Amino acid sequence: MKVIDNILLEWSYRCPDGIVDLNNSDKVKILFEILKPLLKEDIDDDILTALIDANSDTKSQVLNFIKKSTSKAVEKNSDEGFYAYLKSKNITDNMIDGVNVPERIHDILIDNNDFDNFNKYRKTPNPFPGGLDSLSKILANTNISSKSIFEIINIDGKKKGAGVGKGEVALALFFSDVRKSPGKGDLEWNGDNLEVKSIGARFGGEREVNSSVILGSELGKTAEQYDFNPLKRLDAVISGLYGEIDSKKLYDIVVDFFKNIYPNADFNYLSIDSLKNITDIRKALNKLYISNYMNSENIQHITLINPTGDYIVFTPEQIENIVDKSTITINSISGTNLYPQIK
């Protein structure tokens, strides 16, 4: 039975006529006597009078506050309760600056009448299936509303400069084999690290790169020699240079530049033939960009997730496939934006 149901039942028992009523000061006093051990506060006559005189919306808000407060008090005192479960997933009150994430999750579930359904689900949660799917679809049989799932997916923020991205909390919360990483990285999934990226995220690197990086390179100087702007899209610059200079020389110039930018990339993605047209160049550069990030950080899996919960999981071996099929799209790599955002 729900915590709030127990409280209402106890309140009804203590009322002489068995009828609960927020408009009756004596009955409201009985309610707060029941709540006193949980709320740890005395309720004076002024508060009682204000509550009795309040409109129905305010009374509804008060009951909702009572519901949340009593639920939190009961769950925090349980070694196997809601908060203990979150602790086992490394979902803590200090993981995001200015946000108590456990209480935020609690309030989302309470507000959407999903708390009891979640408490049932967390006793035997599903493992994370990976692949290409939707969290709402996977969790459809849990009776947790799509509204709660959506709101939890979109919990994000910063902690001392580091980011907790959209989807991280949801994946750790809902799946038996995923938890927030206690150290470097986003999540742990069956012992492997699982990095979570959403729209607007980058695969490492700086938001802006000083123009001197490209302008001082042989690629930048060659581009300017043939009247191409090296600060613009580099796929367009390179395709423009193809045919202007020896293809092997162009290949060496491109490799030399990007080995300085993406030192841990898999350069097997880049070939002389890939420099022939702008589409192949763009795909090759994106593969270098992603592989450099995964290799540099020793990442076994990346999950791309959107705000509605649709996601795809891939490994370093699957980079070529997801780029070639445009499963992932990235803003153009340019001379001033060598670490572009996911679209």
Side-chain angles (χ1 to χ4, degrees), residues 71-343:
S71 172
K72 288 175 184 177
V74 170
E75 293 293 336
K76 285 179 178 178
N77 288 326
S78 171
D79 291 335
E80 298 181 355
F82 172 82
Y83 290 98
Y85 174 79
L86 266 60
K87 185 178 180 180
S88 74
K89 296 303 198 121
N90 292 325
I91 298 174
T92 64
D93 58 4
N94 64 353
M95 64 189 295
I96 296 177
D97 291 335
V99 179
N100 187 318
V101 175
E103 297 212 350
R104 176 73 184 120
I105 296 169
H106 175 276
D107 290 351
I108 288 171
L109 294 170
I110 288 287
D111 288 342
N112 296 322
N113 295 313
D114 284 322
F115 190 74
D116 289 329
N117 287 331
F118 176 78
N119 264 346
K120 291 175 184 175
Y121 169 73
R122 71 175 173 80
K123 293 176 182 177
T124 53
N126 297 327
F128 182 50
L132 173 65
D133 216 321
S134 165
L135 295 191
S136 293
K137 181 181 174 183
I138 295 169
L139 298 170
N141 64 347
T142 65
N143 295 318
I144 300 169
S145 71
S146 57
K147 189 172 189 295
S148 285
I149 294 169
F150 173 81
E151 291 180 13
I152 293 169
I153 287 170
N154 285 279
I155 293 174
D156 65 348
K158 298 286 186 181
K159 176 65 177 178
K160 295 181 179 178
V164 174
K166 288 179 171 60
E168 285 184 45
V169 172
L171 290 170
L173 178 72
F174 288 122
F175 298 106
S176 61
D177 50 359
V178 180
R179 67 171 188 157
K180 192 78 178 71
S181 176
K184 187 178 180 181
D186 293 340
L187 302 172
E188 291 180 357
W189 178 31
N190 278 328
D192 287 346
N193 56 32
L194 175 64
E195 197 76 5
V196 182
K197 297 290 182 184
S198 58
I199 294 170
R202 301 171 191 270
F203 293 105
E206 300 294 330
R207 184 176 298 274
E208 294 182 2
V209 178
N210 193 294
S211 60
S212 63
V213 173
I214 182 73
L215 295 177
S217 69
E218 188 174 358
L219 177 59
K221 292 174 181 176
T222 303
E224 291 187 313
Q225 181 182 344
Y226 288 90
D227 295 325
F228 294 105
N229 186 346
L231 301 180
K232 301 295 185 180
R233 288 176 48 170
L234 291 180
D235 53 356
V237 170
I238 295 167
S239 68
L241 288 173
Y242 191 86
E244 295 285 350
I245 64 174
D246 177 75
S247 59
K248 177 62 168 63
K249 181 180 179 182
L250 175 61
Y251 172 79
D252 291 341
I253 290 172
V254 171
V255 169
D256 181 66
F257 176 75
F258 280 102
K259 278 193 172 180
N260 286 322
I261 304 302
Y262 309 141
N264 293 300
D266 182 351
F267 280 86
N268 290 319
Y269 294 129
L270 194 65
S271 66
I272 293 175
D273 285 343
S274 68
L275 306 182
K276 289 181 179 180
N277 69 73
I278 192 169
T279 299
D280 289 344
I281 298 167
R282 182 178 67 252
K283 289 180 177 180
L285 296 185
N286 284 342
K287 293 169 190 175
L288 296 182
Y289 174 38
I290 299 170
S291 66
N292 175 71
Y293 177 67
M294 296 189 78
N295 293 336
S296 297
E297 302 297 328
N298 192 29
I299 294 168
Q300 285 101 0
H301 307 272
I302 286 181
T303 297
L304 301 178
I305 188 168
N306 68 21
T308 62
D310 298 326
Y311 73 85
I312 183 171
V313 179
F314 65 91
T315 65
E317 294 76 22
Q318 295 168 315
I319 291 173
E320 185 164 26
N321 186 51
I322 67 157
V323 172
D324 286 344
K325 291 185 175 181
S326 299
T327 306
I328 177 174
T329 55
I330 302 170
N331 287 323
S332 298
I333 294 172
S334 70
T336 56
N337 189 12
L338 295 167
Y339 304 94
Q341 294 173 298
I342 299 167
K343 292 197 286 186

